[in-house]
Amino acid sequence: MKLDKNKIQISIGKNTSKSFYKLQVLFKDHFPENLKTKFSLQTSSGIFTGDYGQTFSDEAEKILYLGLGDSSKIKIRSVAQLFFPFGEKLKKWDGVGLEIHLPKILTTSLPADLLIYQIVNSLEQGAFAINVLSKEFRENSKKTGSVSFILQDAAKAKEAEKGLKRGKVVSRYINGARYIAHLPANHFTPEEFVSRSKEIAKDNGLKITVFDEAQLKKEKMGGILAVCEGSDKKAKMIILEYTPAKPSTKKKLAIIGKGLTFDSGGISIKPAQDMHEMKYDMCGAAAAIHAIGAIAELGLGVPVIAAIGVAENMPDAAALKPGDVYTAHNGITVEVQNTDAEGRLVLGDVLSYVGKKFKPDYMLDLATLTGAIIISLGHEAAGVMSNSEPLTTLLKEASQTSDERIWEMPLWDEYADELKSDIADIRNIASRAGGSLSAAKFLEKFVDSGIAWAHIDIAGAAWRKKGSGTQIGNGPTGYGVRLLVDLAEKIGKKK
Ligand code: BES
Ligand code: ZN
Ligand code: ZN
């Protein structure tokens, strides 16, 4: 299963397509006098004044105008977002291009590399249609126009080029993660996860190890095995390893992902309403393998391991039952009181395995772990629970530059109180109160001491029912890829 190419051809400089629109970006408070007259004559439905998000198209001159509002209020996020709909349009513009003119004041108020990086990400995400199994998609998939940027401040061209190069790589992996996330469980099975991981490994010269059922048994990974008992699709653990040609640090980063290709809840079955969305329960694993691909392709200097636990959670005569007890990879016994709290069973084993085998300095896990995090944070941020302040700080910095929001939540010991079992070492659920926090405390039991670890609950950030806030389109967001790339870059600068 190959990763798709970029959807749009993007460059710095004049657009060379036969036909293209000029896109003029304008601030409300720096509005050219000549245009004031032009718009007052030409618009019938209100006058274009450069308000944030306002557009005006002059078909005769083939110029589009895009308003950015007040120049003192701009942020990279708010500017980049406006390009998502242009990406959507370009997807239908067979061979027609866009030449985006960026005024000097824009590239002096914001760093040009980050600005271009995020505009490219927005354009590419906008151009990626998620209706991949439809006739419309098949008919449109060969189309798309090209984009070029013209910077009024020519001195910033080099910086812009840097952002463009990075954006091209990262956006391809973001869309790659979105694509596999959006595929339904009958198309994207644990076996398909193996094939996608192999492609990413092949493209980037990564080492790959796939553990099948027999090897998982040999390694005593009781949690992963327990989860897949009810499914005809067998569980896997997939490990990708990136060793930089020229390492810039001695630190090692491990990224772990929850890869439930479907979570029906198992015997503790979920309500029918919205159950189809549980095809997205593999977004953490999708982010992990696509992030390591981007990190390797960018040639970052930090050694990275991506390890994903892949399974399908189904009810069946052979399925795990509430009350069953299994022995996890680290030897502790777990009473499963709710088979829908399955992600922590899978992640527990992978955290334990990776900690012991690779002894990483930093270990992260990304998981659509709890509905409770959506109650806490909605869809605008992922919740971060960590045993390490330095790692939390690094994540906050990476969140700033990558524009993927995180929010710190506590990992206090009291949240583990209710994980006590009267038959086994622990049980897999606590009460509803603080559900994301007891889930994190459960995971912590599988993290070896000395490892700086952070759990990132992406249940809210991983997909949207309808576009909102930072994600304009509906469906999977590819959350985590940009955050992890920036985190890896920051760790690469550590001694
Ligand atoms: N995959 C779900 C979490 C989830 C729910 C993500 C809704 C996104 C949207 C997870 O496996 C789960 O079912 N968690 C339970 C845990 C509970 C049984 C302790 C939950 O959140 O309800
Ligand atoms: Zn579940
Ligand atoms: Zn789940």
Side-chain angles (χ1 to χ4, degrees):
M1 169 173 273
K2 270 196 105 54
L3 196 74
D4 265 2
K5 294 200 173 62
N6 286 79
K7 300 283 173 240
I8 314 172
Q9 272 204 339
I10 313 183
S11 57
I12 311 278
K14 291 208 167 303
N15 198 306
T16 51
S17 15
K18 281 204 186 84
S19 156
F20 66 87
Y21 282 86
K22 186 174 160 185
L23 174 68
Q24 189 65 57
V25 173
L26 292 172
F27 284 105
K28 196 180 169 71
D29 54 338
H30 287 82
F31 207 85
E33 281 304 320
N34 60 327
L35 287 181
K36 277 188 188 156
T37 348
K38 169 174 176 170
F39 289 125
S40 64
L41 294 174
Q42 286 197 353
T43 46
S44 49
S45 56
I47 296 171
F48 180 86
T49 52
D51 275 331
Y52 176 76
Q54 206 184 15
T55 53
F56 179 84
S57 107
D58 178 342
E59 285 294 332
E61 290 191 40
K62 298 195 86 171
I63 305 183
L64 308 173
Y65 296 92
L66 171 65
L68 291 189
D70 193 336
S71 65
S72 65
K73 290 196 185 133
I74 52 160
K75 289 197 171 80
I76 289 184
R77 171 191 297 269
S78 59
V79 177
Q81 267 176 29
L82 294 177
F83 287 87
F84 190 100
F86 287 100
E88 262 181 321
K89 282 195 191 104
L90 277 156
K91 175 179 76 198
K92 293 172 195 142
W93 286 2
D94 206 358
V96 179
L98 196 60
E99 188 178 270
I100 304 174
H101 289 246
L102 303 175
K104 188 167 183 167
I105 170 164
L106 184 62
T107 47
T108 35
S109 340
L110 299 171
D113 55 343
L114 282 183
L115 178 70
I116 299 290
Y117 174 60
Q118 298 296 12
I119 294 179
V120 169
N121 281 328
S122 258
L123 284 167
E124 282 288 346
Q125 287 197 51
F128 170 75
I130 57 171
N131 58 348
V132 289
L133 303 178
S134 72
K135 186 166 166 222
E136 189 195 333
F137 181 89
R138 284 193 298 278
E139 285 171 356
N140 281 330
S141 63
K142 293 256 151 28
K143 295 180 185 168
T144 59
S146 63
V147 168
S148 71
F149 290 100
I150 299 213
L151 281 79
Q152 196 185 30
D153 185 355
K156 294 280 163 67
K158 226 175 147 183
E159 216 182 299
E161 197 71 60
K162 204 176 113 199
L164 172 65
K165 264 173 116 173
R166 199 164 178 263
K168 280 183 179 174
V169 173
V170 175
S171 62
R172 199 156 60 83
Y173 284 94
I174 296 174
N175 279 341
R178 294 172 71 206
Y179 174 69
I180 64 162
H182 202 53
L183 286 178
N186 67 331
H187 283 249
F188 197 75
T189 59
E191 229 15 280
E192 288 296 316
F193 239 130
V194 174
S195 119
R196 179 60 150 222
S197 304
K198 281 186 177 160
E199 283 294 341
I200 293 175
K202 194 172 87 190
D203 287 353
N204 297 291
L206 308 179
K207 181 178 172 197
I208 176 166
T209 319
V210 180
F211 292 71
D212 61 15
E213 202 187 13
Q215 282 148 311
L216 293 173
K217 277 189 181 145
K218 210 173 121 214
E219 292 292 341
K220 299 195 162 64
M221 306 195 81
I224 304 186
L225 290 164
V227 171
C228 80
E229 274 169 7
S231 170
D232 58 352
K233 297 170 187 70
K234 292 301 158 209
K236 317 266 177 208
M237 177 170 71
I238 305 168
I239 301 183
L240 297 172
E241 289 170 67
Y242 165 59
T243 312
K246 285 194 209 110
S248 60
T249 178
K250 288 213 168 65
K251 305 278 183 204
K252 218 187 308 175
L253 167 67
I255 306 165
I256 286 160
K258 170 176 173 181
L260 265 288
T261 55
F262 192 71
D263 176 16
S264 68
I267 296 297
S268 316
I269 198 159
K270 286 179 180 294
Q273 168 101 36
D274 291 339
M275 199 206 270
H276 63 281
E277 291 190 333
M278 284 298 118
K279 69 176 181 178
Y280 294 137
D281 211 19
M282 36 59 79
C283 285
I289 61 168
H290 288 81
I292 196 173
I295 290 165
E297 196 169 324
L298 292 170
L300 301 189
V302 55
V304 181
I305 298 129
I308 60 175
V310 178
E312 191 184 63
N313 187 19
M314 296 293 284
D316 182 77
L320 182 73
K321 297 170 290 294
D324 283 359
V325 175
Y326 75 90
T327 305
H329 179 259
N330 64 352
I332 69 173
T333 54
V334 181
E335 180 191 2
V336 180
Q337 288 191 350
N338 189 320
T339 65
D340 196 11
E342 85 300 334
R344 58 195 78 180
L345 275 51
V346 171
L347 290 172
D349 279 356
V350 183
L351 286 165
S352 166
Y353 182 88
V354 170
K356 289 172 196 13
K357 166 96 183 170
F358 297 99
K359 301 190 173 38
D361 300 276
Y362 301 102
M363 184 157 74
L364 298 176
D365 70 80
L366 273 86
T368 48
L369 202 68
T370 64
I373 204 76
I374 311 177
I375 307 298
S376 310
L377 299 173
H379 298 281
E380 291 306 322
V384 169
M385 288 137 270
S386 177
N387 64 4
S388 156
E389 264 183 45
L391 176 55
T392 307
T393 304
L394 279 171
L395 274 166
K396 283 180 182 166
E397 288 169 9
S399 168
Q400 285 287 328
T401 51
S402 68
D403 219 3
E404 292 201 302
R405 282 175 169 147
I406 57 161
W407 199 254
E408 194 183 350
M409 314 272 279
L411 193 69
W412 297 320
D413 285 343
E414 289 78 0
Y415 294 116
D417 287 352
E418 293 181 24
L419 292 173
K420 292 195 178 87
S421 161
D422 63 10
I423 181 167
D425 294 326
I426 53 169
R427 62 172 183 162
N428 78 329
I429 51 163
S431 61
R432 273 162 59 86
S436 309
L437 314 172
S438 51
K441 290 307 277 187
F442 181 95
L443 295 181
E444 194 188 23
K445 297 193 184 289
F446 301 87
V447 176
D448 288 347
S449 60
I451 301 176
W453 159 74
H455 158 57
I456 310 184
D457 195 333
I458 61 166
W463 78 91
R464 297 286 167 86
K465 277 192 204 309
K466 55 179 195 314
S468 70
T470 50
Q471 163 88 3
I472 315 286
N474 68 321
T477 59
Y479 181 95
V481 176
R482 273 178 291 170
L483 178 73
L484 292 169
V485 166
D486 279 17
L487 180 77
E489 197 159 77
K490 293 195 195 315
I491 293 176
K493 291 182 185 138
K494 294 244 145 207
K495 283 269 163 299

